[in-house]
Amino acid sequence: MRIANAKRIANDSPFCEARAETERIIDRLMSPEALSMTRSEIERLVGAEGHELLRELMQAHVDLRAAQEPVVEVVGADGMPRTLVRRARALSRPRTAR
């Protein structure tokens, strides 16, 4: 299990990582380093950080939808029931270290 997924489960909200990402962006924009950046540097920062935030929001939405999918019985061509439920995380990718 990915760390981000474990955090989502622990916080009972699929959007907890997106909220945390929003706070990280705000903290970064308030930092002394950011206050000394040029406007174009801030725009690049917000563009890059904002992309990660949008990815987190999209992943949270997909996770929420996946959690609401009904489980149906599946029988293979051999007549045997398939009981393994595999949760696909189509948008997931490893988080990069900051």
Side-chain angles (χ1 to χ4, degrees), residues 24-77:
R24 285 190 288 271
I25 293 170
I26 291 169
D27 289 346
R28 184 110 187 255
L29 290 171
M30 292 174 55
S31 73
E33 174 192 14
L35 293 173
S36 66
M37 291 177 165
T38 65
R39 181 181 170 141
S40 62
E41 290 172 326
I42 291 295
E43 286 176 354
R44 281 192 297 275
L45 171 73
V46 170
E49 300 288 325
H51 181 75
E52 178 65 17
L53 173 59
L54 292 174
R55 192 195 69 75
E56 287 289 350
L57 287 167
M58 185 66 183
Q59 184 63 55
H61 177 76
V62 170
D63 289 349
L64 184 62
R65 290 180 85 154
Q68 294 175 353
E69 285 183 2
V71 177
V72 297
E73 287 187 30
V74 177
V75 178

Side-chain angles (χ1 to χ4, degrees), residues 4 7-9 11-21 56 60:
K7 288 180 187 175
R8 283 185 180 98
I9 292 168
N11 288 315
D12 287 333
S13 171
F15 291 94
C16 65
E17 279 299 303
R19 284 189 179 98
E21 185 66 26
E56 287 289 350

